[in-house]
Amino acid sequence: MATEIPVFPKAGKLTLHTGNIVNWDRLKRNPSQSPTDELKECLTETLCSWLPTINRTDAQYMTSLKGCNRVPENNSTYNRETLKYTVKLFLPSEFSSQDVREAINQVLVELKTDFVETVLVSITEDSNDDDPHMAMVDKMKALWEVLETFVEENKVLTLGSSDLNTEGLQDLYNISKVKPCINQVNLASCCVMPPEMTEFAKQHDIQLLTHNDPKEMLPHKVFHDVLGEILTEQDTQLWQPLWLIR
């Protein structure tokens, strides 16, 4: 049996842009989908829409690719002054400052805007950390310092955290120059906001919101499954999601 020829054997970077999924009818018909299942469907659709448009010969030599959903979108003209952009950045347990900068700059390009109002951040916990709390504080501190530069440049107006417990929220508040204005709490972890967190948030003007995103939004296996359904086996090897933003 002949071996399948990989689509992009030299590629080391792949950026996928699903476009505006709010108007996708099939997603509206399945509102009970988990966030990860919805993401998997969107990535699959984007790859299926984009791959037929690329030159397969050129792709053999490309080291960086960007795939965009070619499904027609509503072409209505939006008035930026009437919009408020809140984006959420999902990062793996290990990430770099470059990954964070690339993610924020990319979303500014895709939204065709000079700034977004709010960036929320979520970091996947590492079960191998000896002290999960301190490890998360250290990672959040490194991430926050990068995001603060975007605030200083007026590319982001406010910052928010996700899934920090009371102690973690207090630590972030104390070490940051740009104070968090939001902390998201997962519905799966608590039915009622902890009183200590509620009191701290009230004292420091932090809005507490709930969400239902999983702790790991895009597991490696899910991403590899998406690639494997459409591409060759060689194309699926060694890929790791570096960031996700929506």
Side-chain angles (χ1 to χ4, degrees):
M1 180 181 296
T3 303
E4 288 186 289
I5 299 176
V7 179
F8 35 76
K10 298 182 182 298
K13 177 181 178 181
L14 172 63
T15 304
L16 295 176
H17 175 45
T18 63
N20 183 5
I21 69 171
V22 172
N23 296 321
W24 288 20
D25 290 337
R26 60 188 173 284
L27 294 182
K28 293 178 182 178
R29 291 195 295 269
N30 193 5
S32 62
Q33 269 189 324
S34 71
T36 296
D37 287 341
E38 179 184 272
L39 175 60
K40 180 179 179 180
E41 181 176 347
C42 292
L43 292 176
T44 300
E45 171 61 33
T46 298
L47 282 168
C48 288
S49 173
W50 165 66
L51 283 174
T53 69
I54 67 173
N55 185 304
R56 293 301 181 98
T57 301
D58 292 343
Q60 293 290 305
Y61 305 97
M62 293 180 179
T63 57
S64 178
L65 301 104
K66 178 181 177 182
C68 297
N69 195 333
R70 301 297 177 180
V71 175
E73 296 184 355
N74 188 338
N75 291 323
S76 300
T77 300
Y78 296 102
N79 183 351
R80 178 63 177 92
E81 295 181 358
T82 67
L83 297 177
K84 181 179 179 180
Y85 287 124
T86 297
V87 300
K88 187 170 182 179
L89 172 62
F90 298 86
L91 293 167
S93 57
E94 299 296 332
F95 60 89
S96 69
S97 298
Q98 181 179 346
D99 296 335
V100 178
R101 293 190 184 93
E102 180 182 353
I104 301 301
N105 284 325
Q106 189 67 46
V107 81
L108 293 174
V109 170
E110 299 300 343
L111 292 176
K112 298 180 176 62
T113 184
D114 296 326
F115 70 96
V116 294
E117 278 74 4
T118 305
V119 171
L120 306 175
V121 292
S122 175
I123 303 174
T124 301
E125 293 182 357
D126 188 343
S127 58
N128 296 320
D129 287 331
D130 294 331
D131 187 338
H133 170 72
M134 287 307 302
M136 182 58 68
V137 170
D138 290 342
K139 292 172 185 178
M140 189 63 76
K141 182 176 184 293
L143 167 60
W144 213 259
E145 289 175 349
V146 178
L147 294 175
E148 285 176 330
T149 64
F150 283 93
V151 176
E152 292 170 357
E153 296 169 356
N154 294 318
K155 294 181 178 179
V156 176
L157 303 187
T158 59
L159 301 175
S161 55
S162 184
D163 298 325
L164 290 182
N165 58 23
T166 303
E167 187 178 0
L169 182 59
Q170 291 171 338
D171 288 342
L172 176 61
Y173 187 91
N174 290 332
I175 63 177
S176 59
K177 292 187 297 183
V178 179
K179 306 302 181 183
C181 68
I182 294 172
N183 184 49
Q184 286 190 318
V185 180
N186 197 306
L187 287 170
S189 63
C190 74
C191 297
V192 180
M193 293 290 182
E196 299 85 356
M197 181 181 292
T198 302
E199 181 61 26
F200 181 81
K202 183 179 179 180
Q203 292 175 358
H204 298 282
D205 197 24
I206 300 174
Q207 188 177 9
L208 298 179
L209 303 175
T210 58
H211 73 98
N212 66 342
D213 295 323
K215 291 185 177 180
E216 187 175 15
M217 189 67 170
L218 184 59
H220 290 175
K221 184 181 184 306
V222 172
F223 186 54
H224 290 167
D225 287 346
V226 170
L227 296 178
E229 290 176 4
I230 302 166
L231 304 170
T232 70
E233 183 177 350
Q234 292 184 60
D235 285 309
T236 67
Q237 296 174 3
L238 303 179
W239 288 100
Q240 294 186 16
L242 295 181
W243 52 266
L244 165 68
I245 198 163
R246 68 175 187 182

